[in-house]
Each structure stands twice: as structure tokens, then as C-alpha cells.
Amino acid sequence: MTADLFEAVPNVRPSREAMAEGAVLLRGFARSFEAELLAALRTIVKQAPFRHLVTPSGHRMSVAMTNCGSVGWVSDDAGYRYDAIDPESGQKWPVMPAVLSRLAADAASAAGFNGFAPEACLINRYVPGAKLSLHQDKDELDFAAPIVSVSLGLPAVFLFGGLKRADKTARRRLEHGDVVVWGGPSRLFFHGVAPLADGEHAVMGRQRINLTFRKAR
Ligand code: MD6
Ligand code: FE
């Protein structure tokens, strides 16, 4: 039987895990996009290099960020927002490569959200020790659309809670190629990433890259 054959080789066949109502983890979903995806990322990062943003309260983020798409997520002393211009270069953000939009739309469909057409892809880079504090993704105008999140490289512990910051958080390990589609009743849940453990990933080296696709407006 085919199913048994695949079960003998972990991570070959994408599988799905419910994380919360509206949030589903598609294990290994991005694996079949890997080569094209990594080539596209290299091109984006040449045009719009990773940088450490400063939060409105003056805190330098340990995660380095960049964007592609018609708008990108930025943070400075004026606040958090989506902006068509990369403040470092004064130019537009790199265009979202077709392989990225395809991956995002396919993953959203697999999770039951058809017609997902994100304008923005926020790209986060974690080195060992980097973390992302609990937050809500609420700078988008349309909370009906999900967020699609792609993990590459070193495994991370993803924390997700509830609608209140003080809600208890569950932890889930996200590995290379895993995709989380996050929408519906959990769209505004607090979440974050625990400090990245040191390690060396066979494809990505000593880092984790996360892509979050958003319908920003
Ligand atoms: C990360 N992700 O995994 C950060 N937000 O590096 C997020 O903040 C996130 O993965 C909303 C939905 C899914 C996510
Ligand atoms: Fe987030």
C-alpha cells in the first residue's frame, strides 16, 4: 500500500495537524517548493537585505527582517505599518516572486481558505538566541484573510496563546518546510517564538527563516 510506503519515510508526505480553531499546521508542505523558494529568497535579500528594526518603544528586535510584495511591514518610532517603500533603500520592496504567491495560495487552499492573494510577505531571520515576543498580527485591514507562515532552517518553538496576552500558551515545534495557516477564530491570537536553540541545518546552516504572507489591505 502506498500509504505504508510513505509512512516509512518521515516528512515526505505533508500531513496536517490542527493547532487551534482556524489554525492548521501543514507539515512539510513547502518541501516540494524548496529549490525555487531558496533561489527566490536569495534574489530578494540582495535587493532588500535583512535589517534589525527598532520598535516604537525603542527596542532593537533580535530577529532581522525584510519584505517582498507591493507593501512591506515596517516598524519605527512612528509605529508599525505597511509601506510600499523600503525605508533603507527608498525604493519599492522587491516584487513577490511567483513561486512565493503560489506556495501561499496552495497552502491556504489546503487549509480551506480559497483565493488567498497576499500583497505582503514579511521575511524574518533568526540566529541562535533570537526570539519574537508574544504579539498579535493586527496591522492588516482584513482579518477575514488568513496568514500563511512558512518555516525554513533550524527548528523553532512556536508559542501560541489566546485573545488575551495573559492566556496560557501552547508550544509547538516548527521545522524546515512546515507551513502554518492561521485564520478564522484564532486570527488575532497572541503568539511568538522562543529563543532559537543553536544548531546547524543541512540546507540553511545556522539560522531559521520564516516567511509570513499577509493580505495587508
Ligand atoms: C515566526 N511568525 O514564526 C513568526 N504570525 O517566525 C509569526 O509571527 C506568525 O507564524 C502570524 C501567523 C503565523 C506566524
Ligand atoms: Fe505574528
Side-chain angles (χ1 to χ4, degrees):
M1 272 163 32
T2 323
D4 292 334
L5 258 179
F6 279 112
E7 255 134 44
V9 189
N11 289 326
V12 166
R13 185 181 59 179
S15 69
R16 77 171 49 225
E17 293 171 26
M19 291 177 57
E21 210 189 326
V24 58
L25 168 50
L26 306 169
R27 288 256 181 232
F29 192 92
R31 287 287 187 103
S32 62
F33 295 78
E34 182 183 277
E36 257 191 287
L37 183 56
L38 296 184
L41 280 176
R42 274 191 289 272
T43 307
I44 293 166
V45 168
K46 263 185 221 152
Q47 204 182 320
F50 285 110
R51 78 291 306 265
H52 293 270
L53 299 181
V54 175
T55 65
S57 58
H59 168 79
R60 177 189 188 264
M61 298 181 74
S62 62
V63 174
M65 298 183 171
T66 187
N67 292 276
C68 67
S70 59
V71 289
W73 187 84
V74 296
S75 168
D76 57 23
D77 49 14
Y80 301 115
R81 65 181 180 281
Y82 284 94
D83 201 310
I85 301 299
D86 173 355
E88 287 287 310
S89 65
Q91 308 290 308
K92 288 180 179 171
W93 294 104
V95 168
M96 192 183 300
V99 59
L100 269 68
S101 358
R102 192 159 23 91
L103 167 57
D106 285 1
S109 293
F113 297 93
N114 288 318
F116 182 56
E119 300 96 6
C121 175
L122 170 64
I123 306 169
N124 291 162
R125 184 181 64 188
Y126 299 72
V127 296
K131 67 177 174 68
L132 193 61
S133 307
L134 278 186
H135 67 278
Q136 290 172 297
D137 288 22
K138 57 177 185 189
D139 301 313
E140 302 73 29
L141 291 180
D142 179 6
F143 297 139
I147 290 180
V148 171
S149 163
V150 177
S151 292
L152 296 170
L154 289 175
V157 176
F158 192 63
L159 313 168
F160 64 100
L163 283 173
K164 295 191 295 269
R165 184 179 290 277
D167 286 343
K168 188 179 181 311
T169 54
R171 307 174 140 244
R172 193 172 291 252
R173 187 177 157 100
L174 297 181
E175 295 187 40
H176 184 71
D178 289 350
V179 178
V180 177
V181 181
W182 182 295
S186 54
R187 175 64 180 75
L188 290 173
F189 276 18
F190 277 90
H191 58 279
V193 177
L196 194 75
D198 202 357
E200 182 76 26
H201 185 270
V203 177
M204 304 295 294
R206 204 169 170 226
Q207 62 174 346
R208 170 179 186 257
I209 304 246
N210 175 264
L211 290 74
T212 50
F213 295 89
R214 297 111 185 275
K215 180 147 180 36
R217 45 200 186 178

